[in-house]
Amino acid sequence: MEESSENACSHPSDQEIDKQKDVLHDQAGNPIDSSRLDLRDFFDAYDKGDPYMVNAVQELYEMIIDKAPEILSKDTNWFRTWMWGGRRDLVTGLKYRDGRFIYPHV
């Protein structure tokens, strides 16, 4: 049985979705190409218990190793910047420096 066009589910096109997104800017204030993925979105939504997400990260890692392994060097600026933020306990999520936990101010 065919659905009438009135009852058919309509999905927005990619162009309609792109129009709904806020324009992101880099640190210099330049607009970021909306066709590129923003890694911050993935960090915000990452679920280490989801096998699809874990596999996707592994695939990304393998692509980086294959195409530009120097990106994962501890000598890179992004890694140094990340380290300045302090490490986090993977269980509690609390930051720690010099072997001591840093508790949030409440």
Side-chain angles (χ1 to χ4, degrees), residues 5 14 19 21 23 28 39 52 63 71 77 86 103:
S5 60
D14 289 340
K19 288 178 188 173
K21 293 181 179 177
V23 176
L39 286 178
Y52 292 102
M63 287 176 63
I71 290 173
N77 285 337
Y103 293 92

Side-chain angles (χ1 to χ4, degrees), residues 83-87 94-102:
M83 287 297 294
W84 274 103
R87 296 181 182 203
L94 292 173
K95 284 187 179 183
Y96 65 93
R97 284 196 187 106
D98 302 321
R100 301 165 84 186
F101 286 107
I102 300 170

